[in-house]
């Protein structure tokens, strides 16, 4: 694939547009932090998958591990290309006269941008079905269906990424001279407008699907918890996964929303404006999505959430002495509910927690009964 004839002029004229805003240090730090974060999160997810063999949890862990692997490869490949461009002094006409590196760079930017959004929406759909239709989830969503859904997400992202190359609309060096993307300045025909709009609309559609499915799943869990029905489904790992999905959705909306909307605005504008700093800023915001995603799985785990809850509980108990008595009543009622429902056998960690809580409550009630205030 060869570059367009007016690309060298654009490169020469625009390489100084954002020179003062660029820094190789920022790219190197972003790449290092992203690789470390995703590697650490991948280790945690693999460890959780080997330890817990619950089918509904395993499907979610497969999606989550695929998302982390995609983010890891995105940081490695895109970060390496950015460092290579900086080390080459951003002289594209010297090291990339035929536009091959630029085409590869643009394909990677689009693919590793859309893939996390598609995988996040697929995770939200899978968890919504698992919470609202557990029987259908256990029978219809087998492991090979999960793998097909993963392959479909990657295939759709790859199709959008390779579409400019297939339609002979090559990616172009942007005005900063440090990365490649769709043709954003003075579109020549309807294809130059359609390609970035397709990228943005598919990304926004994935975000909207994630919001809808996560909202339905969260409302279903909250409704089941409040009504004290279907208590078997409202398990700790369900709540853990919903918290992770809601956080991923929030991070994706904050990081990717400005870029997707900005691309739509730039594609539909008519007058010539400088898009150097604004587009580069939104792209850098989007790269933080791949950095923050793994920390969702690192921080929003049951072990970490339990420690945070215990810390909050200790601080709250010191200010409100009546809280332990209220907690005793809640623990007692939950134990009675679990005994009355034969479908919900207590898990080992739940049983230990209940026994420990009841012992602590019993000692606290004895203390209250012997105190002069309660006599």
């Amino acid at each position: 694939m060869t570059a367009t004839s007016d690309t060298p002029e654009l490169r020469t004229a625009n390489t100084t547009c954002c020179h003062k805003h660029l820094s190789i240090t920022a790219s190197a730090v972003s790449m290092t932090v992203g690789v470390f974060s995703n590697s650490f999160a991948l280790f945690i997810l693999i460890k959780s998958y080997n330890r817990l063999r619950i089918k509904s949890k395993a499907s979610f862990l497969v999606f989550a591990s695929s998302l982390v692997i995609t983010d890891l490869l995105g940081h490695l490949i895109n970060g390496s290309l950015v460092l290579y461009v900086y080390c080459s002094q951003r002289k594209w006409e010297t090291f990339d006269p035929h536009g091959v590196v630029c085409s590869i760079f643009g394909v990677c930017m689009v693919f590793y941008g859309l893939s996390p959004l598609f995988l996040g929406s697929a995770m939200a759909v899978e968890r919504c079905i698992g919470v609202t239709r557990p029987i259908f989830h256990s029978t219809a969503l087998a492991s090979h269906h999960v793998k097909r859904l993963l392959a479909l997400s990657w295939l759709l992202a790859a199709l959008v990424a390779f579409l400019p190359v297939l339609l002979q609309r090559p990616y172009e060096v942007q005005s900063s001279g440090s990365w490649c993307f769709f043709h954003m300045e003075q579109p020549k025909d309807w294809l130059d407008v359609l390609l970035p709009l397709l990228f943005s609309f598919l990304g926004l559609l994935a975000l909207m699907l994630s919001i809808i499915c996560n909202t339905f799943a969260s409302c279903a869990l909250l409704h089941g918890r409040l009504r004290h029905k279907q208590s078997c489904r409202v398990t700790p790992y369900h709540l853990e996964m919903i918290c992770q999905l809601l956080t991923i959705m929030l991070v994706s909306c904050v990081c990717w929303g400005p870029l997707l909307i900005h691309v739509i605005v730039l594609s539909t504008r008519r007058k010539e404006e400088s898009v150097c700093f604004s587009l580069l800023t939104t792209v850098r915001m989007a790269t933080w999505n791949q950095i923050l995603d793994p920390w969702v799985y690192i921080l929003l785990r049951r072990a970490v959430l339990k420690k945070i809850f215990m810390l909050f509980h200790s601080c709250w108990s010191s200010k409100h002495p009546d809280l332990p008595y209220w907690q005793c009543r809640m623990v007692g009622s939950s134990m009675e509910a679990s005994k009355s429902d034969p479908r919900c056998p207590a898990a080992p960690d739940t049983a230990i927690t209940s026994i420990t809580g009841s012992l602590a409550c019993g000692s606290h009630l004895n203390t209250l009964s012997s105190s002069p205030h309660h006599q």
Side-chain angles (χ1 to χ4, degrees):
M1 178 58 62
T2 59
T4 56
S5 58
D6 57 341
T7 303
E9 286 80 2
L10 283 174
R11 293 170 179 170
T12 306
N14 295 325
T15 49
T16 59
C17 175
C18 301
H19 180 72
K20 61 181 180 180
H21 301 294
L22 300 178
S23 174
I24 190 174
T25 304
S27 301
V29 171
S30 175
M31 176 182 174
T32 304
V33 174
V35 171
F36 170 76
S37 302
N38 285 280
S39 301
F40 188 28
L42 183 61
F43 170 76
I44 292 175
L45 289 172
I46 294 176
K47 185 178 179 181
S48 300
Y49 182 83
N50 293 328
R51 186 185 73 250
L52 189 60
R53 291 290 181 175
I54 302 176
K55 181 181 180 299
S56 60
K57 178 72 172 178
S59 301
F60 179 82
L61 289 177
V62 170
F63 277 110
S65 301
S66 303
L67 176 61
V68 171
I69 292 174
T70 303
D71 289 340
L72 176 62
L73 294 177
H75 274 286
L76 281 175
I77 297 176
N78 290 337
S80 300
L81 289 173
V82 170
L83 295 180
Y84 174 74
V85 171
Y86 274 111
C87 292
S88 302
Q89 304 298 322
R90 290 178 291 165
K91 297 179 179 180
W92 292 84
E93 63 278 1
T94 301
F95 67 86
D96 187 31
H98 301 291
V100 177
V101 177
C102 185
S103 297
I104 297 175
F105 202 167
V107 169
C108 293
M109 288 288 293
V110 175
F111 175 77
Y112 290 110
L114 287 179
S115 292
L117 298 178
F118 291 163
L119 291 176
S121 62
M123 292 166 61
V125 171
E126 185 270 340
R127 199 79 320 260
C128 182
I129 297 175
V131 172
T132 58
R133 297 291 185 269
I135 298 178
F136 175 79
H137 180 274
S138 60
T139 56
L141 288 181
S143 59
H144 61 278
H145 293 112
V146 173
K147 295 178 181 178
R148 289 178 182 177
L149 190 56
L150 283 174
L152 181 62
S153 301
W154 282 323
L155 182 61
L156 181 59
L159 179 61
V160 178
F162 281 100
L163 198 58
V165 180
L166 297 176
L167 295 177
Q168 297 184 355
R169 286 294 193 275
Y171 292 96
E172 294 185 358
V173 179
Q174 298 302 299
S175 54
S176 62
S178 60
W179 62 297
C180 293
F181 202 55
F182 298 105
H183 180 75
M184 301 299 299
E185 296 187 5
Q186 297 181 347
K188 300 175 183 179
D189 52 19
W190 63 274
L191 273 178
D192 288 337
V193 178
L194 177 63
L195 292 175
L197 285 180
L198 180 64
F199 168 80
S200 297
F201 279 128
L202 287 177
L204 291 175
L205 182 62
L207 289 178
M208 289 298 298
L209 184 61
S210 299
I211 293 174
I212 294 173
C213 292
N214 288 331
T215 302
F216 272 111
S218 302
C219 291
L221 284 178
L222 183 61
H223 184 264
R225 177 62 63 89
L226 293 178
R227 295 286 299 272
H228 295 286
K229 292 181 180 180
Q230 301 169 343
S231 56
C232 291
R233 292 193 304 170
V234 189
T235 52
Y237 63 87
H238 270 135
L239 297 176
E240 177 188 6
M241 288 184 285
I242 292 298
C243 290
Q244 292 176 351
L245 281 178
L246 290 176
T247 308
I248 291 174
M249 178 190 68
L250 179 61
V251 170
S252 299
C253 291
V254 172
C255 294
W256 273 100
L259 175 61
L260 297 175
I261 296 175
H262 193 58
V263 169
I264 295 177
V265 173
L266 294 179
S267 300
T268 55
R269 67 187 176 90
R270 292 298 180 183
K271 57 184 179 179
E272 183 178 358
E273 296 175 356
S274 175
V275 298
C276 169
F277 180 71
S278 58
L279 186 59
L280 181 63
T281 303
T282 54
V283 169
R284 287 183 172 178
M285 288 180 59
T287 57
W288 277 94
N289 180 66
Q290 282 84 347
I291 297 177
L292 296 177
D293 273 349
W295 287 101
V296 174
Y297 305 108
I298 296 173
L299 298 179
L300 295 184
R301 293 178 294 148
R302 274 194 292 169
V304 178
L305 291 176
K306 186 182 294 185
K307 292 180 181 179
I308 295 176
F309 174 78
M310 292 179 63
L311 180 63
F312 175 78
H313 176 261
S314 61
C315 297
W316 184 264
S317 300
S318 61
K319 296 181 181 180
H320 300 273
D322 294 335
L323 182 62
Y325 179 75
W326 173 82
Q327 186 183 11
C328 293
R329 299 292 300 272
M330 294 298 294
V331 171
S333 62
S334 63
M335 291 178 64
E336 292 176 0
S338 62
K339 291 179 180 179
S340 62
D341 193 352
R343 300 175 303 166
C344 302
D349 55 345
T350 307
I352 294 174
T353 304
S354 302
I355 294 173
T356 306
S358 62
L359 291 176
C361 293
S363 61
H364 182 74
L365 289 175
N366 292 333
T367 306
L368 290 177
S369 61
S370 61
S371 62
H373 177 70
H374 286 80
Q375 291 178 354

